[in-house]
Amino acid sequence: MGEKNEAILPPKEFMRRMPWIRSVDEYERLYRESIKNPEKFWGKQAEALDWFKKWDKVLDETNPPFYKWFVNGELNICHNCVDRWAEIQPEKLAIIWQGEPDEDVRTFTYDGLKQQVNRFAHTLKRFGVEKGDRVALYLPMIPELPIAMLACAKIGAIHTVIVGGISAEAVKIRIQDAEAKMLVTANGYYRAGKIKDSLEIAKEAIKDCHSVETVIVVKRIDKETHLPCCAECQKPVYSWWEQEMEFYDYDFPVECAPERMSADDISFLLYTSGSTGKPKGVVHTTGGYLVYVNTTMWYIFDIRDNDVFWCTADIGWITGHSYVVYGPLSCGATVFMYEGVPTYPEPDRYWELIEKYKISIFYTAPTVIRDLIQQGTEWTQKRDLSCLRLLGSVGEPIDSKSWLWYFENVGKKRCSLVDTYWQTETGGILLTTLPGVHSMKPGSTGFPFFGVVPEIIKHKESDEECNEPDLRRSQCSVGEMGKLMFSRPWPGMLKGLWKDPERFSKTYWHKFEKYLSGDGAVEDEDGYFWVTGRIDDLINVSGHLLSTAETEGALISHQYVTEAAVVGKPHKIKGNELYAFVVLGKEVDMDKEFQIVLVKHVREKLGPIYTIREIKFTEKLPKTKSGKIMRRVLRKIAAGEKNITELGDLSTLADESAIQNLLKE
Ligand code: WT7
């Protein structure tokens, strides 16, 4: 006989739905604990997930920088994001999707989502996709994208989502590097009133991708679309998504058992710009990644049962992976997803959607905010935004003016605003304030999240011109800008770079066992962190990291270009714009027309997000005696500096005439 009056615990899925932290003291106590005993802290957080097999050890640090989390633990991401919620709350909405045309609305309950995911999981299997195989997802913001991601997770296939807006060539490089077996795409999508084609780019991209056996196409747009048939080309086989999903009768539920994944198995690859030409395939794990996004979701977004959570990021970026799909769904939350852009058909599209769908948590990027400020404050006043309770910002530093506008006009001074700092590589948020706990300073990313140990190390501008700069420098003092690093591992951190362990160690750990972010930062007297932006060879344009090396490579690939240097020039709305210094061969005139030719050439090579705004032709680039381009000097010239004494240390400059010429005009 069982005990009478046994205490009945609420399902553990709901235990987190109580306010966890109420004061700065509590944050500080828990933060200290998380640093003193990370294994205990993260072990406890991991209990919020369902594990098929519990881990033997929370953190294995024996082989840095190859850290392992939840050693020998087994779980499935899709089970944690979909199946277990479909069991507990089958009728709760998991995804509300709004297409750009008003009438295109689709909603999925947790049970409904599970059905779709299971159907696509079986489709993957039918086409021979197995655990560990790569599946490339080149899809717009439509529900099929999260469905395909979750279906991959269910069977243990590794997805790599390829973001829109890059060229066919760039799509090809990613698919080839990942050696994807399948590609999922759509016959188009809506963007600012126009129909865009993704299938044509996909077809062009996979011409030389021999690993791709199958292409599944979602019929997003009701238009005549011709799929190549097998008779035309032996491989790959093309098929419609809708047709494959109907393989099983819609009258019956479809079951699909989740694959038991080891915590350290790869869940997905996501490509991000690198300081050297080739994009990096950032590898994320299963256990560590999910525990991290789940934990940040509870604490930072304070997610509750009746929230409607809207993160405006495209799923093709890490923000979308972690905070449109895996974070909120692993908490059983309701996610809102939108296909279109912020200002179409009217500049208040976002505010209209917030009002219509009663969005309670809204997470967007400074570039969007700056764009919407330009549209005029009257657009926010037209709508009832009282449903909002929490706002977030991510992707680049937010200036205090935009911060205040967002806080006052959108949040009506009632909502906490979390400015969250993180990266593709970090998996989830590293620096932020906690809502309702910390007082906010406009423009500051606040404090380290649990388990995160930031350090700011002295920085010399000329580091970028040395082959092996000595980074074993001392820490900065309060108020001093330096290199932002993280000295302890956290569960969401990348596992490595796809097929390139050496580049992983070199890029992020460089001689010493600390994670190098590539950003500059300052800590103020109250312990708030202020991220100042990239101090490496990447440029942040509208929240997208673009690579100087890739852009320069594309310029040089033009037959008349002999040398090129690309830098960021500050821009009011986009944060930065691409500015190129170009040296031409003798046979061509340095005129406006040729500038346009070059801009087009780079767009074709890399895609429209790589649009160079200004090109300055020059006969020489400033270089160090060892031949490195002095980009820090070019950055200042691009920003309008005319005075040679303001350009910083020029002692290593090989030929001063290179600079004098640039300063002349
Ligand atoms: C870079 C990472 C994290 C998802 C979006 C971008 C910049 C990101 C902030 C912020 C200042 C920020 C950094 C970082 N960044 N968030 N709140 N304040 N800068 O992911 O493409 O990997 O870019 O974005 O420079 O290194 P990503």
Side-chain angles (χ1 to χ4, degrees), residues 272 317-319 393-398 419-425 445 517 519 531 533-534 540 543-545:
T272 180
W317 305 108
I318 189 71
T319 314
S393 171
V394 64
E396 53 189 311
I398 181 164
D419 179 0
T420 62
Y421 167 86
W422 57 296
Q423 307 177 307
T424 305
E425 294 86 341
T445 56
S517 71
D519 285 303
V531 176
R534 303 295 308 187
N540 196 326
H544 301 154
L545 283 193

Short mmCIF file of all heavy atoms in Angstrom, two decimals, residues 272 317-319 393-398 419-425 445 517 519 531 533-534 540 543-545, ligand 1:
data_model
loop_
_atom_site.label_atom_id
_atom_site.label_comp_id
_atom_site.label_asym_id
_atom_site.label_seq_id
_atom_site.Cartn_x
_atom_site.Cartn_y
_atom_site.Cartn_z
N THR A 272 28.56 31.80 -39.53
CA THR A 272 28.69 33.20 -39.18
C THR A 272 29.98 33.72 -39.81
O THR A 272 30.87 32.95 -40.12
CB THR A 272 28.68 33.39 -37.65
OG1 THR A 272 28.80 34.76 -37.33
CG2 THR A 272 29.78 32.64 -36.96
N TRP A 317 19.17 33.54 -38.05
CA TRP A 317 20.23 34.00 -37.16
C TRP A 317 20.11 33.25 -35.84
O TRP A 317 19.05 32.72 -35.51
CB TRP A 317 20.10 35.50 -36.88
CG TRP A 317 20.06 36.34 -38.12
CD1 TRP A 317 18.98 36.98 -38.64
CD2 TRP A 317 21.15 36.64 -39.01
NE1 TRP A 317 19.34 37.65 -39.78
CE2 TRP A 317 20.66 37.46 -40.04
CE3 TRP A 317 22.51 36.27 -39.02
CZ2 TRP A 317 21.46 37.93 -41.08
CZ3 TRP A 317 23.30 36.75 -40.05
CH2 TRP A 317 22.78 37.57 -41.06
N ILE A 318 21.17 33.30 -35.04
CA ILE A 318 21.14 32.57 -33.77
C ILE A 318 20.02 33.08 -32.87
O ILE A 318 19.39 32.32 -32.14
CB ILE A 318 22.50 32.64 -33.04
CG1 ILE A 318 22.53 31.70 -31.82
CG2 ILE A 318 22.80 34.05 -32.57
CD1 ILE A 318 22.58 30.25 -32.11
N THR A 319 19.73 34.38 -32.94
CA THR A 319 18.68 34.92 -32.08
C THR A 319 17.36 34.18 -32.33
O THR A 319 16.62 33.88 -31.39
CB THR A 319 18.48 36.43 -32.34
OG1 THR A 319 19.77 37.03 -32.37
CG2 THR A 319 17.65 37.06 -31.25
N SER A 393 16.37 44.06 -26.27
CA SER A 393 17.17 44.57 -27.39
C SER A 393 18.37 43.65 -27.55
O SER A 393 18.92 43.16 -26.57
CB SER A 393 17.62 45.99 -27.07
OG SER A 393 18.55 46.43 -28.04
N VAL A 394 18.78 43.42 -28.79
CA VAL A 394 19.93 42.55 -29.05
C VAL A 394 20.53 42.84 -30.41
O VAL A 394 19.84 43.29 -31.32
CB VAL A 394 19.53 41.06 -29.01
CG1 VAL A 394 18.54 40.69 -30.10
CG2 VAL A 394 20.76 40.15 -29.14
N GLY A 395 21.81 42.56 -30.54
CA GLY A 395 22.43 42.58 -31.86
C GLY A 395 23.53 43.59 -32.02
O GLY A 395 24.44 43.40 -32.82
N GLU A 396 23.47 44.68 -31.28
CA GLU A 396 24.48 45.73 -31.41
C GLU A 396 24.25 46.68 -30.24
O GLU A 396 23.22 46.64 -29.58
CB GLU A 396 24.32 46.46 -32.74
CG GLU A 396 22.92 46.95 -32.90
CD GLU A 396 22.60 47.49 -34.28
OE1 GLU A 396 23.40 48.31 -34.77
OE2 GLU A 396 21.55 47.14 -34.81
N PRO A 397 25.21 47.56 -30.02
CA PRO A 397 25.01 48.51 -28.94
C PRO A 397 23.80 49.40 -29.24
O PRO A 397 23.60 49.79 -30.38
CB PRO A 397 26.30 49.35 -28.97
CG PRO A 397 27.30 48.51 -29.68
CD PRO A 397 26.53 47.69 -30.66
N ILE A 398 23.01 49.70 -28.22
CA ILE A 398 21.88 50.61 -28.43
C ILE A 398 22.25 51.95 -27.77
O ILE A 398 22.67 52.00 -26.62
CB ILE A 398 20.54 50.02 -27.90
CG1 ILE A 398 19.39 51.00 -28.17
CG2 ILE A 398 20.60 49.65 -26.43
CD1 ILE A 398 18.00 50.37 -28.03
N ASP A 419 18.73 44.80 -22.25
CA ASP A 419 19.68 44.92 -23.36
C ASP A 419 20.61 43.71 -23.22
O ASP A 419 21.43 43.65 -22.31
CB ASP A 419 20.43 46.24 -23.24
CG ASP A 419 21.45 46.41 -24.36
OD1 ASP A 419 21.58 45.52 -25.23
OD2 ASP A 419 22.14 47.45 -24.37
N THR A 420 20.45 42.76 -24.13
CA THR A 420 21.10 41.46 -23.97
C THR A 420 22.29 41.33 -24.91
O THR A 420 22.15 41.43 -26.11
CB THR A 420 20.11 40.34 -24.27
OG1 THR A 420 19.67 40.46 -25.63
CG2 THR A 420 18.90 40.40 -23.35
N TYR A 421 23.43 41.10 -24.35
CA TYR A 421 24.64 40.92 -25.17
C TYR A 421 24.95 39.43 -25.31
O TYR A 421 25.02 38.70 -24.32
CB TYR A 421 25.85 41.62 -24.53
CG TYR A 421 27.15 41.17 -25.17
CD1 TYR A 421 27.62 41.79 -26.31
CD2 TYR A 421 27.88 40.09 -24.66
CE1 TYR A 421 28.78 41.36 -26.93
CE2 TYR A 421 29.04 39.66 -25.27
CZ TYR A 421 29.49 40.29 -26.41
OH TYR A 421 30.63 39.85 -27.03
N TRP A 422 25.15 38.99 -26.53
CA TRP A 422 25.63 37.63 -26.78
C TRP A 422 26.01 37.49 -28.24
O TRP A 422 26.04 38.47 -28.96
CB TRP A 422 24.60 36.58 -26.35
CG TRP A 422 23.22 36.68 -26.96
CD1 TRP A 422 22.33 37.69 -26.83
CD2 TRP A 422 22.59 35.70 -27.79
NE1 TRP A 422 21.18 37.41 -27.51
CE2 TRP A 422 21.31 36.20 -28.12
CE3 TRP A 422 22.96 34.45 -28.27
CZ2 TRP A 422 20.41 35.47 -28.91
CZ3 TRP A 422 22.07 33.74 -29.05
CH2 TRP A 422 20.82 34.25 -29.37
N GLN A 423 26.31 36.26 -28.67
CA GLN A 423 26.81 36.02 -30.03
C GLN A 423 26.34 34.66 -30.53
O GLN A 423 25.92 33.82 -29.73
CB GLN A 423 28.35 35.96 -30.02
CG GLN A 423 29.03 37.14 -29.39
CD GLN A 423 30.53 36.98 -29.36
OE1 GLN A 423 31.05 35.98 -28.86
NE2 GLN A 423 31.25 37.97 -29.88
N THR A 424 26.48 34.45 -31.84
CA THR A 424 26.16 33.15 -32.42
C THR A 424 26.88 32.05 -31.63
O THR A 424 26.31 30.99 -31.32
CB THR A 424 26.66 33.10 -33.89
OG1 THR A 424 26.10 34.21 -34.58
CG2 THR A 424 26.28 31.80 -34.56
N GLU A 425 28.12 32.32 -31.28
CA GLU A 425 28.96 31.31 -30.64
C GLU A 425 28.54 31.04 -29.20
O GLU A 425 28.85 29.98 -28.66
CB GLU A 425 30.41 31.79 -30.63
CG GLU A 425 31.05 31.92 -31.99
CD GLU A 425 30.78 33.28 -32.66
OE1 GLU A 425 29.83 33.99 -32.25
OE2 GLU A 425 31.52 33.63 -33.58
N THR A 445 24.66 46.94 -21.12
CA THR A 445 24.13 45.58 -21.16
C THR A 445 24.11 44.94 -19.78
O THR A 445 23.92 43.73 -19.66
CB THR A 445 24.96 44.69 -22.10
OG1 THR A 445 26.30 44.75 -21.64
CG2 THR A 445 24.89 45.18 -23.52
N SER A 517 35.83 37.42 -27.20
CA SER A 517 34.58 37.74 -27.90
C SER A 517 34.79 38.52 -29.19
O SER A 517 33.95 38.50 -30.08
CB SER A 517 33.67 38.55 -26.97
OG SER A 517 34.21 39.84 -26.80
N ASP A 519 34.82 41.74 -29.09
CA ASP A 519 34.20 43.03 -28.80
C ASP A 519 35.02 43.81 -27.78
O ASP A 519 35.75 43.24 -26.99
CB ASP A 519 32.79 42.82 -28.20
CG ASP A 519 31.79 42.40 -29.26
OD1 ASP A 519 31.64 43.13 -30.24
OD2 ASP A 519 31.18 41.32 -29.10
N VAL A 531 29.09 47.50 -23.79
CA VAL A 531 29.78 46.91 -24.93
C VAL A 531 29.92 48.00 -25.99
O VAL A 531 28.95 48.65 -26.36
CB VAL A 531 29.00 45.70 -25.48
CG1 VAL A 531 29.67 45.15 -26.73
CG2 VAL A 531 28.89 44.62 -24.41
N GLY A 533 31.37 47.60 -29.12
CA GLY A 533 31.32 47.15 -30.53
C GLY A 533 32.55 46.34 -30.90
O GLY A 533 33.46 46.15 -30.08
N ARG A 534 32.59 45.85 -32.12
CA ARG A 534 33.67 44.96 -32.56
C ARG A 534 35.01 45.67 -32.56
O ARG A 534 35.12 46.83 -32.96
CB ARG A 534 33.41 44.47 -33.99
CG ARG A 534 32.11 43.76 -34.22
CD ARG A 534 31.95 42.46 -33.50
NE ARG A 534 33.03 41.52 -33.67
CZ ARG A 534 32.97 40.26 -33.21
NH1 ARG A 534 31.88 39.81 -32.60
NH2 ARG A 534 33.98 39.45 -33.36
N ASN A 540 29.57 45.38 -37.92
CA ASN A 540 28.17 45.17 -37.58
C ASN A 540 27.29 46.16 -38.36
O ASN A 540 27.26 47.34 -38.07
CB ASN A 540 27.99 45.36 -36.06
CG ASN A 540 26.69 44.79 -35.56
OD1 ASN A 540 25.67 44.82 -36.27
ND2 ASN A 540 26.69 44.26 -34.35
N GLY A 543 22.92 45.10 -37.24
CA GLY A 543 22.87 43.91 -36.40
C GLY A 543 23.41 42.66 -37.07
O GLY A 543 23.42 41.59 -36.48
N HIS A 544 23.87 42.77 -38.31
CA HIS A 544 24.46 41.60 -38.99
C HIS A 544 25.97 41.76 -39.03
O HIS A 544 26.48 42.80 -39.42
CB HIS A 544 23.94 41.48 -40.42
CG HIS A 544 22.45 41.36 -40.49
ND1 HIS A 544 21.74 41.75 -41.58
CD2 HIS A 544 21.56 40.89 -39.60
CE1 HIS A 544 20.46 41.54 -41.36
NE2 HIS A 544 20.32 41.02 -40.15
N LEU A 545 26.66 40.71 -38.66
CA LEU A 545 28.11 40.77 -38.70
C LEU A 545 28.60 40.46 -40.09
O LEU A 545 28.33 39.39 -40.63
CB LEU A 545 28.70 39.75 -37.74
CG LEU A 545 28.67 40.09 -36.26
CD1 LEU A 545 29.56 39.12 -35.51
CD2 LEU A 545 29.12 41.52 -36.02
C1 WT7 B 1 27.87 40.45 -32.10
C2 WT7 B 1 27.38 39.03 -32.30
C3 WT7 B 1 23.46 37.68 -30.37
C4 WT7 B 1 22.59 37.58 -31.43
C5 WT7 B 1 22.69 38.57 -32.52
C6 WT7 B 1 23.99 38.71 -33.19
C7 WT7 B 1 27.05 42.41 -31.19
C8 WT7 B 1 25.06 41.57 -29.89
C9 WT7 B 1 24.76 43.18 -28.45
C10 WT7 B 1 24.36 44.09 -27.44
C11 WT7 B 1 26.19 45.43 -28.03
C12 WT7 B 1 25.90 43.49 -29.23
C13 WT7 B 1 28.44 42.16 -30.66
C14 WT7 B 1 28.57 40.66 -30.81
N1 WT7 B 1 26.04 42.47 -30.13
N2 WT7 B 1 24.28 41.99 -28.90
N3 WT7 B 1 23.28 43.88 -26.68
N4 WT7 B 1 25.11 45.20 -27.26
N5 WT7 B 1 26.61 44.61 -29.01
O1 WT7 B 1 24.76 37.55 -33.23
O2 WT7 B 1 25.76 37.80 -35.49
O3 WT7 B 1 26.92 36.44 -33.72
O4 WT7 B 1 26.78 38.93 -33.55
O5 WT7 B 1 26.77 41.35 -32.09
O6 WT7 B 1 29.37 42.82 -31.45
O7 WT7 B 1 29.90 40.20 -30.86
P1 WT7 B 1 26.08 37.59 -34.06
#
